[in-house]
Amino acid sequence: MIGIAADLFAKNGYHGTGMAELGQAAGLGRGALYHYIGSKEAVLYAISKEQVDKMNSYAEALFDLGLEPEDLLRQMARGLLRNIAEHRSEWAVFFREHTALTGARRDHVIAARERYESYWRQALDTGVRVGVLRQTPSLLVKGILGMLNYTYLWLDPQGELTPDEVADMFLDALIKGLRL
């Protein structure tokens, strides 16, 4: 159901997709649809939360490996682009529609996104601390993630370059600019 909803929201927008359309696409009647999902916002929350939570878990696992800062950044970028390539609709919905969430749902998604950003900041700060990267402004993390995140618009998992190759190209340019 989540994948179907993500595809519809990515194609038509959250506000442009009705419950009847969700039910029809999922092959569920109105009663069954509400029983399984509760509300359209609950589906948006599940879509938005799932991928960010996956990326936070992935980053935590990488930090536990004790990688060198450059390797850590590279693996984080590769993991993100692989996830985006595999879940383009979900990421399109997240980036375009997560602001439609309200209350605790919105707070949780924003906190999860900020937590993910903090892993990138920690990786950069570790590189500075061990003397392999230059000090960077905090805002740079948003720029790096913007560069990676918006590949959801064009990254083709079957394309000429793999997600890992795209991540490596981006990270090579970044690291060469930050290396001491």
Side-chain angles (χ1 to χ4, degrees), residues 119-154:
Y119 287 119
W120 281 85
R121 177 81 260 156
Q122 289 174 52
L124 290 168
D125 288 348
T126 300
V128 171
R129 193 172 51 255
V130 299
V132 295
L133 300 177
R134 74 179 76 226
Q135 183 69 43
T136 60
S138 296
L139 188 59
L140 183 63
V141 172
K142 290 189 183 301
I144 294 166
L145 288 174
M147 177 176 64
L148 295 167
N149 287 340
Y150 284 90
T151 60
Y152 85 88
L153 293 169
W154 54 266

Side-chain angles (χ1 to χ4, degrees), residues 12-98:
N12 304 324
Y14 172 71
H15 295 293
T17 304
M19 289 295 280
E21 191 175 2
L22 281 172
Q24 183 178 13
L28 297 172
R30 193 168 187 82
L33 183 65
Y34 280 102
H35 172 75
Y36 287 110
I37 67 167
S39 70
K40 192 168 82 165
E41 185 178 346
V43 175
L44 176 60
Y45 175 66
I47 293 167
S48 298
K49 175 181 171 313
E50 182 177 10
Q51 299 312 315
V52 176
D53 285 350
K54 279 183 186 178
M55 294 316 304
N56 277 319
S57 294
Y58 182 74
E60 288 169 14
L62 289 176
F63 271 85
D64 288 343
L65 295 175
L67 300 172
E68 295 297 320
E70 290 182 16
D71 292 332
L72 177 60
L73 288 164
R74 186 169 306 281
Q75 292 307 315
M76 288 172 65
R78 286 178 175 178
L80 179 57
L81 290 195
R82 281 192 301 261
N83 187 283
I84 288 172
E86 293 168 10
H87 302 280
R88 282 180 71 186
S89 291
E90 289 87 343
W91 284 106
V93 171
F94 173 80
F95 291 123
R96 295 179 193 155
E97 308 288 356
H98 80 276

